Amino acid sequence: MTDPSRQSDALLTEHFQYTPLSLIDDIINAVNTIIYNAIEALETGLLQIPPRSLGFARDKNSSTLSAQDTDGGYPEAETEIESGVHQLETLLESSVDKRFDLFEIWTLRNILTIPDDLAPWMRLGHCEDLQFPLPPSAPTPESILLLRRKVQETRKLNLALNSAYTRNAALIIQLKSLIDPSHQSSNPSSLAFLTSSANPAVQTLNLSFAPPVKDSRPLTKNAQFATSELPALWKLVAELRPKMQKLRGGSGDKVDWESKREERRAYIESGVRRVVGKGTSGGEEVGGEKRGRGEVEALEDVVRDLGGDSMEE
């Protein structure tokens, strides 16, 4: 069961927007501030009054003058004043603490309080539309926090979807403008020059990006075209058949590959002798400047790769 005093404090705090104890503490602090200011002003005033006017006797044995003794010869006046002011301050603080402790108790019991039998039936102004006790279907703080998180995540998802939709719509417009120039918007795409008829490259390559014209009978036309081309194909086949048979049968002039190979070997050999030194070729003497052994061996390797070692023969 709820403590009646705690329930009363909760109602007063909700109504005043501060706790009852904070109000009493502010009052006590204000009284203490007034006491400290009064004690400070009293001390300042006593130090400014001549010590002789306050009843202090002059010290006849003192040969020095104090800086605060305007009449001189009163060394104990300042010490006595400070001690008396401190005692007065302690007395006032003790009296204030004692009296205001009683003031606090009396105020909490008689002013800042609500009767125990009345507290359960009190309803503040901002609680007029609330029903107590709360129904089972009433939202709890945990359920409200969960709903807030769901709303935040839904907003994030909505923003992401809208952004993706905008990007996709712009991409679709650009692609349509590339395929079909008639779909270009008032702000043409940056790639629209690729399909523009004014582009020299498009004219040179003979490219056309015009939308295809729909034909209701494309299959019929294609079949007619294929049929019309059949006679030309038969004619070409008839011309190629004799040529294929001629190639398969081996008829015709045969190429004498052996004689061609001998002519090539003789030509290479004459060139080698001309480079290497003097010699005879076909009954004629040929010659040239001397070559090193390495160059001769390299030339022999070339001749050997081309068909045989003619130098050794």
Side-chain angles (χ1 to χ4, degrees):
M1 184 176 179
T2 306
D3 189 1
S5 60
R6 292 181 178 273
Q7 187 175 5
S8 176
D9 292 341
L11 288 172
L12 292 174
T13 302
E14 188 175 359
H15 177 67
F16 292 117
Q17 301 299 319
Y18 53 83
T19 60
L21 285 177
S22 62
L23 174 62
I24 297 175
D25 291 339
D26 290 342
I27 295 174
I28 297 175
N29 292 333
V31 173
N32 289 328
T33 302
I34 294 173
I35 291 175
Y36 296 145
N37 293 335
I39 293 296
E40 185 177 359
L42 177 62
E43 183 179 4
T44 303
L46 290 177
L47 291 176
Q48 292 177 356
I49 299 174
R52 185 174 56 183
S53 301
L54 297 176
F56 289 100
R58 185 175 182 180
D59 189 3
K60 297 180 180 180
N61 298 326
S62 177
S63 59
T64 60
L65 297 177
S66 175
Q68 294 186 0
D69 293 341
T70 56
D71 291 345
Y74 301 95
E76 298 180 355
E78 183 178 358
T79 304
E80 291 292 337
I81 291 174
E82 291 179 355
S83 177
V85 169
H86 178 68
Q87 292 178 4
L88 177 62
E89 181 180 1
T90 304
L91 180 62
L92 289 176
E93 287 179 351
S94 177
S95 178
V96 166
D97 291 340
K98 182 178 179 180
R99 299 301 176 183
F100 275 90
D101 286 342
L102 296 176
F103 168 77
E104 179 180 353
I105 296 173
W106 185 84
T107 302
L108 291 177
R109 287 183 178 179
N110 297 280
I111 299 178
L112 301 177
T113 184
I114 298 176
D116 297 341
D117 56 346
L118 185 60
W121 303 98
M122 290 191 65
R123 180 175 296 180
L124 301 178
H126 60 276
C127 299
E128 289 293 336
D129 298 332
L130 298 179
Q131 297 180 1
F132 296 100
L134 296 176
S137 60
T140 60
E142 292 78 8
S143 62
I144 293 175
L145 181 60
L146 181 60
L147 290 176
R148 286 181 178 177
R149 292 180 178 176
K150 288 183 178 180
V151 171
Q152 292 177 357
E153 295 299 327
T154 304
R155 288 178 178 176
K156 291 181 180 179
L157 180 60
N158 189 16
L159 292 175
L161 291 176
N162 289 333
S163 178
Y165 174 78
T166 304
R167 292 195 303 268
N168 293 334
L171 182 60
I172 290 173
I173 293 174
Q174 293 179 359
L175 293 176
K176 286 183 177 179
S177 65
L178 291 175
I179 298 174
D180 188 358
S182 62
H183 288 84
Q184 291 182 356
S185 59
S186 58
N187 296 326
S189 172
S190 59
L191 300 177
F193 70 93
L194 296 175
T195 60
S196 177
S197 59
N199 191 350
V202 176
Q203 297 177 2
T204 304
L205 298 175
N206 194 17
L207 299 177
S208 177
F209 294 93
V213 180
K214 294 184 178 179
D215 195 348
S216 59
R217 297 181 301 171
L219 183 60
T220 304
K221 289 187 176 182
N222 293 336
Q224 293 176 355
F225 175 76
T227 305
S228 63
E229 294 293 328
L230 286 177
L233 292 175
W234 282 111
K235 183 178 180 181
L236 292 175
V237 171
E239 292 178 357
L240 289 175
R241 280 178 179 175
K243 295 181 179 181
M244 293 294 295
Q245 293 177 359
K246 184 178 180 181
L247 292 175
R248 288 178 181 177
S251 61
D253 298 334
K254 294 183 178 181
V255 180
D256 190 0
W257 298 106
E258 293 295 333
S259 61
K260 295 289 184 182
R261 187 176 301 149
E262 291 296 333
E263 292 177 2
R264 183 179 60 180
R265 183 180 301 172
Y267 173 76
I268 295 173
E269 186 176 353
S270 63
V272 170
R273 289 177 178 177
R274 188 181 299 112
V275 173
V276 173
K278 294 182 179 181
T280 58
S281 176
E284 297 181 359
E285 186 176 352
V286 297
E289 56 180 322
K290 299 288 185 180
R291 297 291 179 179
R293 183 176 181 178
E295 294 181 2
V296 175
E297 292 178 354
L299 290 173
E300 290 177 353
D301 293 336
V302 172
V303 173
R304 189 181 299 109
D305 292 338
L306 292 175
D309 190 1
S310 60
M311 297 296 293
E312 293 180 358
E313 294 176 357

